[in-house]
Amino acid sequence: MSDIIRREEFGDVVVLHILTTSVDAISAAAIAAECQEMRPITVLDFSEVSFINSAGISALLKFVVNARKSGYQLFAMNVTPHHQKIFKMVEMSRYMPTIEERDLAAYR
């Protein structure tokens, strides 16, 4: 287990809880590395994240687009309204829409 990511798996779903308050190129790389063993549905939990810099956005966007091209469904959870706006601006929400935590209950 990484100091940056805590992985929770159930069925076809993996939830990656981002444990750092800041997503930058290094933590985004840790997220991508953790996803080498992806499930059909992957959820990134941003509940601890208060800051995402441009390098983090770039690395996340590259990861998200590549994962979707490979046929995986990606979702973001617990994203602040500010980060939701940024995700929409860079069209990341197109590939990784937000999901509510209560909606995950259907997969557990």
Side-chain angles (χ1 to χ4, degrees):
M1 183 185 325
S2 160
D3 291 342
I4 296 173
I5 302 293
R6 180 174 56 84
R7 185 180 185 99
E8 179 183 12
E9 298 182 21
F10 44 97
D12 287 341
V13 179
V14 62
V15 178
L16 300 178
H17 301 276
I18 302 169
L19 304 176
T20 181
T21 59
S22 177
V23 175
D24 54 20
I26 293 169
S27 54
I31 294 165
E34 193 66 34
C35 285
Q36 289 182 12
E37 295 179 32
M38 292 186 73
R39 296 282 190 254
I41 299 169
T42 298
V43 179
L44 298 179
D45 179 7
F46 289 87
S47 60
E48 299 295 322
V49 177
S50 58
F51 180 75
I52 305 175
N53 70 15
S54 59
I57 289 288
S58 178
L60 277 175
L61 188 57
K62 183 177 179 180
F63 160 70
V64 167
V65 170
N66 288 334
R68 287 299 294 237
K69 285 181 181 177
S70 297
Y72 297 105
Q73 285 185 291
L74 296 173
F75 296 95
M77 182 171 69
N78 300 316
V79 181
T80 67
H82 173 72
H83 292 133
Q84 286 179 15
K85 287 179 187 176
I86 292 171
F87 286 6
K88 285 179 185 173
M89 284 175 30
V90 299
E91 294 191 19
M92 191 175 335
S93 57
R94 178 177 169 196
Y95 300 100
M96 184 176 64
T98 58
I99 188 172
E100 296 295 322
E101 196 163 353
R102 68 179 176 266
D103 296 331
L104 286 178
Y107 299 104
R108 292 181 188 224

